[in-house]
Amino acid sequence: LLPNCAESVWCAYGVRLAGAADTPLGWGATGEEIAWAAQLAGFRTVITTADRAEAVRALGLEPLLPGTVRARPGGQAAWDAVPVDATGRLLFTSGTTGKPKGVRYSHGRRWAAEQLLRATLPFTPAVRSRLLLVTPFPHGASLLTFAWCEYGGEVLLEGGVDPDRVRTLLPRGGVDARSTGLARTVACSMRALVSASLMPTASASPSAARPLVLTTTLPATVQFCVSSLASTASVSSPLR
């Protein structure tokens, strides 16, 4: 239960390396939603921030603050091999048509899915190339983060679409690709991101136009509109 931040990333890696299973929770999840997820998934520990610790305890769960985690004695040599069929991640559906449903992934299937995602990226990221992500880390942003980092790239994990922030990043060449999830926010996210990308600025240069990577399957009409707005964009839907 963390916002988009560096702790979200390294905690996700740490849980996996420990051979445990994680249940990503959206930062905006309510107490009722967290309690429902805990009931189905069976977790008792919630990795979260200090300002949400008491709310977690009120649900009968144990908060774990990232800053209190200690390295395992013995380093990497002390890690045990993780069985491929062991539960690695429990995801939940959106709950738009009823109570959210849990989906189980084994560690082996998680690894296979990540290889498939890397194979369907529209281009191979270069070492230190930067990807801008604006969707919640528990969703598609985490998958792209893992894939990008496997190539030695860097990820800028933002808490949402902030046009002013995007305008400061793109003109100076600080971003090589950007991604926006469009399941529910086609209108607002795309409009803000595209307008921020294409709006002229005093320091804008031809190199400011960067590939646009979309991570959901898009209707043909949306793909046409995106391509029309940003003729230099690379429109891709790797998560089908």
Side-chain angles (χ1 to χ4, degrees), residues 154-218:
E154 301 176 13
V155 172
L156 298 176
L157 196 58
E158 298 291 320
V161 179
D162 182 346
D164 291 335
R165 167 72 170 159
V166 174
R167 290 190 191 103
T168 64
L169 290 171
L170 298 186
R172 69 187 187 206
V175 174
D176 299 289
R178 54 195 183 275
S179 167
T180 177
L182 301 179
R184 295 184 178 180
T185 56
V186 172
C188 60
S189 293
M190 181 53 63
R191 188 181 301 115
L193 197 55
V194 171
S195 65
S197 303
L198 302 182
M199 185 172 291
T201 63
S203 61
S205 65
S207 63
R210 297 289 176 173
L212 175 62
V213 183
L214 305 175
T215 63
T216 55
T217 303
L218 304 180

Side-chain angles (χ1 to χ4, degrees), residues 51-213:
D51 58 331
R52 298 197 68 167
E54 287 305 317
V56 168
R57 288 193 184 94
L59 297 172
L61 303 171
E62 183 63 31
L64 175 62
L65 306 184
T68 65
V69 177
R70 296 290 178 263
R72 186 173 182 177
Q76 186 173 352
W79 297 344
D80 296 324
V82 179
V84 294
D85 58 347
T87 300
R89 171 165 280 199
L90 293 163
L91 294 174
F92 281 87
T93 59
S94 63
T96 54
T97 59
K99 286 282 192 180
K101 302 173 182 64
V103 180
R104 175 189 176 274
Y105 285 85
S106 65
H107 278 280
R109 288 184 179 274
R110 282 191 69 182
W111 178 86
E114 289 168 5
Q115 305 316 303
L116 290 173
L117 174 58
R118 289 176 59 192
T120 54
L121 289 175
F123 58 90
T124 301
V127 174
R128 295 183 180 177
S129 63
R130 285 189 167 185
L131 171 66
L132 173 63
L133 296 174
V134 298
T135 50
F137 187 74
H139 300 294
S142 62
L143 298 176
L144 280 171
T145 296
F146 299 145
W148 209 264
C149 289
E150 282 291 324
Y151 286 107
E154 301 176 13
V155 172
L156 298 176
L157 196 58
E158 298 291 320
V161 179
D162 182 346
D164 291 335
R165 167 72 170 159
V166 174
R167 290 190 191 103
T168 64
L169 290 171
L170 298 186
R172 69 187 187 206
V175 174
D176 299 289
R178 54 195 183 275
S179 167
T180 177
L182 301 179
R184 295 184 178 180
T185 56
V186 172
C188 60
S189 293
M190 181 53 63
R191 188 181 301 115
L193 197 55
V194 171
S195 65
S197 303
L198 302 182
M199 185 172 291
T201 63
S203 61
S205 65
S207 63
R210 297 289 176 173
L212 175 62
V213 183

Side-chain angles (χ1 to χ4, degrees), residues 212 214 220-235:
L212 175 62
L214 305 175
T221 52
V222 176
Q223 291 201 29
F224 174 77
C225 292
V226 172
S227 298
S228 299
L229 285 170
S231 59
T232 59
S234 171
V235 181

